[in-house]
Amino acid sequence: MSIGIGAIHCLLPTEKTALEDLPEFGMLSPETADFARGTGVRTVGVFKETEQAPLAARACQELFAAHPGDPDTLLMVGPRAPDVLLGSDVGRVQAEAGLASAFAFTVDGLGCTGSSVAWALARDLLAADPAREQVVITHASRPTGVDRVRFPVTVVGDAAYAMTMVRGGRPVLRAHRQETDGRFHDLFRVDYKESPWYEWREVCEDPARYRFGLATTSQRRLGSMVEQVLADAGVGRDRVKATLMQNVTASAYDFYTTLLGLPIHPVCGEHLADYGHLGAMDVVLNLDALLAGGELERGDLVIVLNNSPVAAWAVTLWEI
């Protein structure tokens, strides 16, 4: 039996802050301020909570309140920085969400691409063991420290999601490819050992390498992976009804539309403008909104692209 999505629940803040009203904005260098203005982000959603695990747990609770279930596995997509060291954030999510029967673990080190890897892993877990019936995936987006402007990447907003993968679910995961390149492992860092969390600052060791070296590699990898995924499914580009990706900057949509010949759906830019970049949640929010929009029919195909600054890439083909 095919394996696909059972349900999705996205937890979004009702409170939003305009980009130039962010506390750090007045202290940014002119270059960084101009970058932030050019991302396409108008506002970011803000939760009062400062920890990620309670947000992820709440997303799980609300998902199962609307769609009762008893998951075999709880898969947390790792946040930018854990709430605790040595302890278990995913264990806290399990406890607070009341998912006692699930085996809980974290997919980490992949940045934004983590959600795409998680749904592929969930598919594999269900395919490997007929006794498993449901995998729940969750993630919460928060900035690493107090600053939300990530130069030269994006502007971060708050949010959380939970989704399930089940046999017979729709959309069906038709094909998936994922790759990593360890050469970029040290491109970004936070010196967290020598300073308290409110002084944490994300540093890009080489902005030119991010803008050109990683961008060129991503261009080559994603272009090849799209071709591979379509070949795996035995379909042509003309069958693809919509293409989604993560929300980093508005210029990225034009770049990948030109590169792949597949227009990025406008819902991505709308979410970027309203909520900022939500890390690994972006593609889930965009897919959920596309499914709710009513423009697709059963059997239509959707491509979801995902990549991250740690040089992880994923391409997924879903059948509605």
Side-chain angles (χ1 to χ4, degrees):
M1 182 180 291
S2 60
I3 295 171
I5 295 174
I8 299 174
H9 177 67
C10 294
L11 185 63
L12 295 166
T14 56
E15 179 182 334
K16 296 180 184 177
T17 300
L19 174 66
E20 297 196 22
D21 290 339
L22 292 174
E24 75 264 29
F25 200 89
M27 297 178 285
L28 299 178
S29 69
E31 179 187 15
T32 303
D34 287 344
F35 159 77
R37 293 188 187 99
T39 58
V41 177
R42 294 195 304 265
T43 58
V44 294
V46 178
F47 279 124
K48 291 184 170 59
E49 296 92 331
T50 59
E51 292 185 308
Q52 294 143 134
L55 289 174
R58 180 179 157 196
C60 290
Q61 287 174 323
E62 294 181 4
L63 173 75
F64 287 111
H67 307 277
D70 190 18
D72 306 282
T73 305
L74 166 62
L75 221 172
M76 183 177 184
V77 179
R80 294 177 180 85
D83 290 337
V84 296
L85 295 175
L86 190 62
S88 173
D89 287 355
V90 70
R92 181 179 180 185
V93 173
Q94 180 183 31
E96 293 191 5
L99 304 176
S101 63
F103 176 75
F105 66 101
T106 300
V107 173
D108 204 3
L110 299 171
C112 311
T113 312
S115 286
S116 296
V117 172
W119 62 43
L121 178 57
R123 187 241 351 231
D124 292 348
L125 288 170
L126 291 167
D129 186 352
R132 294 190 183 101
E133 296 183 357
Q134 186 181 69
V135 177
V136 58
I137 305 167
T138 190
H139 172 74
S141 170
R142 289 273 303 159
T144 303
V146 295
D147 292 350
R148 294 181 179 274
V149 178
R150 295 180 63 202
F151 177 80
V153 185
T154 189
V155 183
V156 175
D158 295 349
Y161 81 85
M163 63 179 286
T164 55
M165 293 287 290
V166 297
R167 292 182 185 82
R170 298 198 84 90
V172 174
L173 200 162
R174 280 282 303 275
H176 176 87
R177 293 272 181 155
Q178 57 195 37
E179 297 180 5
T180 57
D181 188 337
R183 293 176 300 167
F184 295 91
H185 75 278
D186 59 350
L187 191 53
F188 291 85
R189 67 177 177 85
V190 175
D191 185 10
Y192 71 94
K193 291 186 177 181
E194 302 299 326
S195 57
W197 72 269
Y198 50 82
E199 293 181 0
W200 289 357
R201 297 294 182 272
E202 182 175 317
V203 176
C204 179
E205 296 290 351
D206 188 345
R209 189 174 178 225
Y210 169 76
R211 286 170 166 158
F212 301 107
L214 181 57
T216 300
T217 303
S218 295
Q219 176 180 352
R220 185 178 67 254
R221 294 286 189 108
L222 284 173
S224 173
M225 291 166 69
V226 166
E227 296 299 330
Q228 291 170 344
V229 162
L230 293 174
D232 291 342
V235 299
R237 287 169 178 265
D238 59 314
R239 288 284 312 280
V240 178
K241 297 298 184 182
T243 303
L244 303 172
M245 63 178 289
Q246 82 276 23
N247 310 328
V248 180
T249 62
S251 60
Y253 305 134
D254 295 333
F255 176 81
Y256 282 106
T257 293
T258 302
L259 168 67
L260 303 172
L262 295 169
I264 304 301
H265 196 280
V267 73
C268 302
E270 294 166 7
H271 287 150
L272 174 69
D274 289 345
Y275 296 104
H277 172 54
L278 305 179
M281 178 171 168
D282 281 343
V283 291
V284 178
L285 176 63
N286 293 340
L287 182 58
D288 187 42
L290 180 65
L291 296 174
E295 66 185 83
L296 300 176
E297 299 178 354
R298 190 177 181 92
D300 285 347
L301 299 179
V302 175
I303 281 184
V304 178
L305 313 172
N306 213 345
N307 67 79
S308 74
V310 297
W313 303 272
V315 177
T316 309
L317 184 69
W318 296 95
E319 179 181 326
I320 303 303

